[in-house]
């Protein structure tokens, strides 16, 4: 008979392991007072490092390559011929943008009208001008005398009231002004039309219910709300037009690029003179970009879309300047 004293002891309630203690639930005040831990993103520095290496390589080749001849670039940067071409470029850009936008506003009004003839004519104009490259338009107006030796006005199929010869009418500068103005008018008409259509129709209906006139509704209600949609595209067009004026060099208009070409055709310093024109274009487009940014913020005030300032934008896009843009872990 087996000895009962040798059997394994049975576990009693006192020998059971104690249950794990429950973790205390933090209160709302403790959660709000807890420090925010930024979300770790170790791999985001890889593209930053690659871009910095590429930037360093670019700076090195610009500085170390003697073929750029930066001393020659600095010497010709403020020459009288270059500054004369720069003034013509600025004048042509300003004149074309002002005239083109005035004409484009009228075309946009025709596109938005309820008259089918006005809508059809404005649509046909926009379709035709946008289909033809600006260089082709420029050459067409410059060579207009070969197609129409005389321009006359009178009764169709009737007597002629007056005429003018075109042999010396369209010089290089006038042809460039007309061609670029017509091109800007077509694109600006669509920009203005799109900005006006972005305003909710209910805004106009509410103003009409209050008894406001059409001109006042457009000036005080529609236009301020349409400007945030019009200004970015208009600023891009202005910068694009500043650079597009360089095509007038093909018809010997002495703009900035053509002035540089005239100089390097004499001294054969092609790359330094092209860098002179490039430096001026970079400087002007930078100034226009800063102005566009300021105007956009001015018209976006109160809409919640003005965004951060220029310095805060640069800081958020340059991680080396700080830890801007860090997102706390667990938050979105």
């Amino acid at each position: 008979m087996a000895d009962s004293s040798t059997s394994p002891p049975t576990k009693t309630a006192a020998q059971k392991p104690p249950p794990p203690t429950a973790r205390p639930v933090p209160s709302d005040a403790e959660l709000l007072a807890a420090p925010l831990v930024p979300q770790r993103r170790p791999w985001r520095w890889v593209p930053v490092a690659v871009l910095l290496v590429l930037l360093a390589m670019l700076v090195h080749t610009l500085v170390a390559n003697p073929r750029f001849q930066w001393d020659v670039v600095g010497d010709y940067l403020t020459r009288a011929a270059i500054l004369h071409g720069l003034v013509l470029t600025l004048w042509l850009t300003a004149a074309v943008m002002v005239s083109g936008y005035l004409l484009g506003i009228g075309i946009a009004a025709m596109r938005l009208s309820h008259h089918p003839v006005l809508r059809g004519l404005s649509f046909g104009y926009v379709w035709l001008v946008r289909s033809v490259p600006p260089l082709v338009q420029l050459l067409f107006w410059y060579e207009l005398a070969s197609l129409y030796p005389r321009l006359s006005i009178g009764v169709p199929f009737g007597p002629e009231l007056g005429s003018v010869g075109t042999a010396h009418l369209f010089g290089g500068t006038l042809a460039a002004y007309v061609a670029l103005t017509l091109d800007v008018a077509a694109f600006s008409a669509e920009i203005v039309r799109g900005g006006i259509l972005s305003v909710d129709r209910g805004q106009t209906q509410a103003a009409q219910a209050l008894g406001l006139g059409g001109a006042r509704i457009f000036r005080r209600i529609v236009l301020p709300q349409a400007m945030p949609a019009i200004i970015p595209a208009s600023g891009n067009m202005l910068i694009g037009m500043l650079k597009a004026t360089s095509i007038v060099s093909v018809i010997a208009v002495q703009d900035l690029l053509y002035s540089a070409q005239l100089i390097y055709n004499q001294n054969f310093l092609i790359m330094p003179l092209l860098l002179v024109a490039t430096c001026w274009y970079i400087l002007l487009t930078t100034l226009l970009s800063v102005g566009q940014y300021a105007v956009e913020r001015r018209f976006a005030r109160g809409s919640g879309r003005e965004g951060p300032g220029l310095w805060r934008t640069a800081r958020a896009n340059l991680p080396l300047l700080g830890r801007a843009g860090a997102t706390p872990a667990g938050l979105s």
Side-chain angles (χ1 to χ4, degrees):
M1 184 171 163
D3 190 1
S4 60
S5 60
T6 60
S7 61
T10 58
K11 292 184 179 181
T12 62
Q15 294 176 334
K16 292 182 179 179
T21 58
R23 182 176 299 177
V25 179
S27 63
D28 294 341
E30 292 175 344
L31 290 176
L32 293 176
L36 297 178
V37 180
Q39 184 177 358
R40 291 185 175 86
R41 298 174 181 176
W43 292 105
R44 70 174 180 176
W45 291 100
V46 175
V48 173
V50 173
L51 291 177
L52 289 177
V53 171
L54 294 177
L55 178 61
M57 294 173 60
L58 176 61
V59 173
H60 176 265
T61 187
L62 291 177
V63 175
N65 191 347
R67 295 182 179 87
F68 283 107
Q69 297 177 278
W70 290 110
D71 55 339
V72 178
V73 173
D75 183 36
Y76 281 94
L77 197 62
T78 55
R79 288 289 183 94
I82 296 295
L83 295 180
H84 174 75
L86 177 64
V87 171
L88 181 60
T89 296
L90 293 175
W91 174 86
L92 187 61
T93 302
V96 165
M97 289 299 297
V98 172
S99 304
Y101 255 84
L102 291 177
L103 182 59
I105 291 172
I107 297 173
M110 294 171 60
R111 289 291 307 272
L112 295 172
S113 68
H114 299 287
H115 200 289
V117 177
L118 295 179
R119 289 203 310 270
L121 291 176
S122 59
F123 174 80
Y125 173 83
V126 172
W127 165 78
L128 178 62
V129 174
R130 292 200 304 180
S131 302
V132 181
L135 181 58
V136 177
Q137 300 180 46
L138 180 65
L139 295 175
F140 173 82
W141 287 101
Y142 186 65
E143 300 292 342
L144 185 64
S146 61
L147 186 61
Y148 293 101
R150 289 189 316 118
L151 293 178
S152 61
I153 184 173
V155 180
F157 307 103
E160 182 180 295
L161 301 179
S163 63
V164 61
T166 59
H168 303 288
L169 178 61
F170 281 91
T173 304
L174 182 59
Y177 169 75
V178 173
L180 296 178
T181 297
L182 296 178
D183 187 71
V184 168
F187 286 92
S188 61
E190 292 301 287
I191 292 175
V192 174
R193 185 177 70 92
I196 294 175
L197 291 177
S198 66
V199 181
D200 187 26
R201 177 64 179 169
Q203 301 280 337
T204 303
Q205 295 174 347
Q208 291 173 345
L210 294 175
L212 299 181
R216 191 176 182 185
I217 292 174
F218 179 79
R219 187 180 70 255
R220 301 297 297 274
I221 297 176
V222 177
L223 187 59
Q225 298 183 71
M227 289 302 290
I230 294 175
I231 289 176
S234 300
N236 293 336
M237 177 175 285
L238 175 60
I239 295 174
M241 181 50 56
L242 174 67
K243 298 183 296 182
T245 53
S246 60
I247 67 173
V248 303
S249 60
V250 301
I251 57 174
V253 175
Q254 195 172 351
D255 69 322
L256 177 59
L257 179 59
Y258 191 70
S259 299
Q261 290 174 339
L262 289 178
I263 297 176
Y264 73 61
N265 285 335
Q266 298 176 2
N267 57 19
F268 302 103
L269 297 173
I270 298 177
M271 291 307 300
L273 268 301
L274 289 179
L275 286 174
V276 169
T278 301
C279 291
W280 276 115
Y281 282 122
I282 291 176
L283 176 61
L284 294 175
T285 53
T286 301
L287 295 176
L288 291 177
S289 299
V290 173
Q292 175 188 349
Y293 183 84
V295 174
E296 287 182 9
R297 283 179 54 84
R298 168 65 177 81
F299 280 95
R301 289 188 307 178
S303 63
R305 295 179 297 177
E306 59 270 20
L310 185 61
W311 168 246
R312 292 181 60 189
T313 302
R315 182 182 173 88
N317 288 277
L318 294 176
L320 292 179
L321 297 180
R323 299 170 64 180
T327 304
L331 299 179
S332 59

